[in-house]
Amino acid sequence: MVKAKVWTLKNHFQGFPKASDFELKEVELPKLKDGEVLLASVFLSLDPYMRPYSQKSLKEGDKMMGSQVARIVESKNPTYHIGAFAVANGGWTTHFISDGKDLQLLPTPWPETLPISLALGTIGMPGLTAYFGLFEICRIKPGDILLVNSAAGAVGAVVGQLAKIGGCKVVGCAGSDKKVAYLKQIGFDEAFNYKTVGSLEEALRKASPSGYDCYFDNVGGEFSDIALRQMKKYGRIAVCGAISLYNDEELQKGPYVQVPMIYQELCMEGFIVSRWNNRREEGLKALLKWVVEGKIKYHEDVTEGFENMPAAFMGMLKGDNFGKAILKM
């Protein structure tokens, strides 16, 4: 029998998560049935969506949600061979059993020079979020001016680089000077530290005096209130995330969106990347190609040790990570 270590949601989060909201348990896994596979997590993903969706989808005591790159260690399913790696939504666990329906083998051929953890980041869900949000919601055109916030994060960094591939001018903001330097290094035309500028409105106007054609929003809240007023006529806004609001205990009230949307005839659309599951292979193939060609660069923030999963998660929500937040077993 295999014993798995599992992080559970002991208490629903009230405001910002605390270490006491999590509980580490040991679970004995049953023997495999025909059609099943046993997997061992190798890398686990840390993503902002886990904060709001745990409130929506989990009960207290449930295993924390999340995805991983896992190695198949035992198989009674002819499709999945021992030693192969797959992306799964197995949650925060060291080992788990799958019937194979929820497994996604890594794109092939996977270059030996690339870490397989990229299947959780640039060549995975965050990369696909950037790809479809930019090309399907923002519908970028050459010459467009694009604004992206949380620009050094797993999604934002890919958004900016894809927009450059598409012939756009790209403005990004991040929460440290180190992150801003990285954005300029990977090709952003303008970048600034939103924590140190005297006025966000002035910083946005200085970066693009003529305004913005497209806005890829990962943050929401006050930032978006200000950015919305600097959109050009017929601007397109992809609402991907709202990390500035996830830990609020009371709903924030701010300026309303209707007036700028009417005056500038804006198009604003929220999205979840699973909408394009039928085009997943297309997106991964394009992202892998651009990474191999050096057109998309990546940066990972790796924490080691399964026992550090809650701390790494909380650090990611505070913006401590630089690039895609990953936990290595």
Side-chain angles (χ1 to χ4, degrees):
M1 289 288 188
V2 172
K3 289 185 177 180
K5 291 182 179 178
V6 177
W7 278 108
T8 63
L9 180 67
K10 184 178 180 181
N11 304 303
H12 274 301
F13 307 129
Q14 300 294 323
F16 195 84
K18 305 180 294 293
S20 58
D21 293 328
F22 305 92
E23 185 175 10
L24 184 60
K25 295 183 177 180
E26 193 169 80
V27 178
E28 194 171 88
L29 300 180
K31 290 184 177 179
L32 291 187
K33 300 174 185 175
D34 287 343
E36 292 184 332
V37 293
L38 172 66
L39 300 101
S41 299
V42 180
F43 294 98
L44 292 105
S45 186
L46 296 153
D47 300 287
Y49 79 83
M50 297 170 179
R51 171 61 180 87
Y53 274 82
S54 64
Q55 204 84 11
K56 181 179 178 182
S57 305
L58 300 183
K59 302 186 300 293
E60 290 182 346
D62 284 351
K63 176 173 58 177
M64 271 295 292
M65 59 173 52
S67 58
Q68 60 265 95
V69 172
R71 182 170 55 86
I72 298 168
V73 293
E74 188 180 343
S75 178
K76 288 192 175 182
N77 185 320
T79 304
Y80 299 100
H81 305 292
I82 293 173
F85 292 96
V87 176
N89 291 306
W92 292 15
T93 182
T94 58
H95 298 79
F96 60 102
I97 291 171
S98 169
D99 62 6
K101 294 178 182 176
D102 62 336
L103 300 181
Q104 301 276 357
L105 293 172
L106 268 60
T108 54
W110 187 273
E112 292 183 7
T113 54
L114 295 183
I116 59 173
S117 52
L118 287 185
L120 298 174
T122 305
I123 313 172
M125 181 274 289
L128 292 171
T129 300
Y131 180 88
F132 289 113
L134 196 63
F135 295 128
E136 298 297 326
I137 306 296
C138 283
R139 304 186 304 280
I140 59 168
K141 308 184 300 293
D144 278 347
I145 302 174
L146 172 93
L147 170 65
V148 55
N149 50 20
S150 194
V155 175
V158 181
V159 167
Q161 293 178 90
L162 289 177
K164 290 303 298 178
I165 291 171
C168 299
K169 175 183 175 179
V170 179
V171 176
C173 72
S176 75
D177 292 342
K178 180 181 178 182
K179 291 177 181 180
V180 168
Y182 175 69
L183 295 179
K184 292 178 178 177
Q185 180 186 328
I186 62 175
F188 280 59
D189 297 283
E190 301 285 345
F192 63 86
N193 182 346
Y194 72 91
K195 292 181 179 178
T196 58
V197 294
S199 163
L200 179 57
E201 185 173 2
E202 290 176 9
L204 288 171
R205 187 161 284 116
K206 181 180 178 182
S208 179
S210 63
Y212 297 91
D213 300 285
C214 300
Y215 170 35
F216 197 105
D217 184 17
N218 295 303
V219 174
E222 184 182 2
F223 188 105
S224 288
D225 292 336
I226 295 169
L228 219 60
R229 298 196 293 269
Q230 298 197 28
M231 296 298 296
K232 293 184 180 182
K233 198 86 167 174
Y234 312 120
R236 288 92 65 201
I237 302 159
V239 183
C240 173
I243 196 168
S244 70
L245 308 175
Y246 290 159
N247 295 302
D248 288 350
E249 295 187 63
E250 293 184 14
L251 226 56
Q252 287 186 29
K253 290 186 178 180
Y256 297 104
V257 302
Q258 286 83 356
V259 170
M261 288 193 70
I262 293 168
Y263 286 174
Q264 295 302 96
E265 298 185 67
L266 305 177
C267 180
M268 175 189 279
E269 184 174 349
F271 73 98
I272 298 171
V273 68
S274 55
R275 184 193 308 187
W276 296 280
N277 276 349
N278 63 325
R279 294 172 58 191
R280 184 175 183 275
E281 189 174 339
E282 168 204 325
L284 292 179
K285 184 177 179 182
L287 292 164
L288 178 58
K289 175 177 178 288
W290 285 323
V291 169
V292 169
E293 291 174 350
K295 293 179 179 177
I296 296 179
K297 297 175 176 62
Y298 59 88
H299 195 285
E300 296 180 308
D301 195 303
V302 181
T303 300
E304 294 199 15
F306 187 66
E307 69 279 5
N308 295 316
M309 196 75 181
F313 173 65
M314 291 184 284
M316 177 272 302
L317 287 178
K318 287 190 288 186
D320 292 346
N321 60 300
F322 176 24
K324 176 70 184 87
I326 296 284
L327 185 127
K328 181 180 180 182
M329 296 293 295

